[in-house]
Amino acid sequence: QVQLVESGGGSVQAGGALTLSCAVSGPTRSRNCVAWFRQAPGKGREGIAQIDKDDSTRYADSAKDRFLISQDTAKNIVSLQMNDLSPEEAATYYCAATPLRCYATAHDQPSAGDFRYWGQGTQVTVSS
């Protein structure tokens, strides 16, 4: 069983930075690709970035130039560094995992339907 636990959410001023962490456990073969998503009230779950077991990464256009996804294999932690945050990006942020390799998904932006395992989310607020 794969388990994911997000941490690092909180409040940040507009234009500020925040780094989220996702502690991942379970069979590595079941979590070849790990991704970050966010969901604002009344909106769908939006893919942000994904990272493969070989450290290759893919980003949504909105995140490509401002966010960085990385992983510490020894600690089983996947991080999302977010820079220059705007109030519109306030949301609950989730990490998720799938046995698929990231390159097997159809798009650079991760799609929620491709991911089998989910964390409970961590809240991010952005003050204007």
Side-chain angles (χ1 to χ4, degrees):
Q1 182 179 357
V2 174
Q3 294 181 329
L4 306 100
V5 180
E6 302 93 339
S7 62
S11 298
V12 63
Q13 293 183 334
L18 194 66
T19 298
L20 307 178
S21 296
C22 176
V24 190
S25 63
T28 56
R29 67 183 182 275
S30 297
R31 48 184 172 93
N32 288 314
C33 183
V34 179
W36 281 96
F37 296 81
R38 64 189 175 198
Q39 187 167 22
K43 303 189 71 175
R45 194 158 295 188
E46 177 188 16
I48 302 170
Q50 55 190 322
I51 186 166
D52 199 83
K53 61 185 295 183
D54 65 359
D55 289 332
S56 63
T57 59
R58 296 199 289 171
Y59 295 86
D61 288 343
S62 64
K64 183 178 181 180
D65 297 323
R66 296 183 296 117
F67 291 9
L68 177 68
I69 188 170
S70 61
Q71 61 189 349
D72 185 330
T73 302
K75 295 182 178 181
N76 289 313
I77 293 176
V78 176
S79 298
L80 181 69
Q81 182 179 341
M82 304 185 292
N83 300 308
D84 194 24
L85 287 163
S86 66
E88 292 75 19
E89 293 175 304
T92 300
Y93 284 70
Y94 300 88
C95 60
T98 177
L100 295 171
R101 300 293 299 274
C102 290
Y103 61 70
T105 62
H107 307 288
D108 289 344
Q109 181 180 29
S111 176
D114 290 329
F115 289 81
R116 180 176 300 176
Y117 307 103
W118 293 83
Q120 294 300 305
T122 186
Q123 186 85 294
V124 173
T125 59
V126 184
S127 302
S128 60

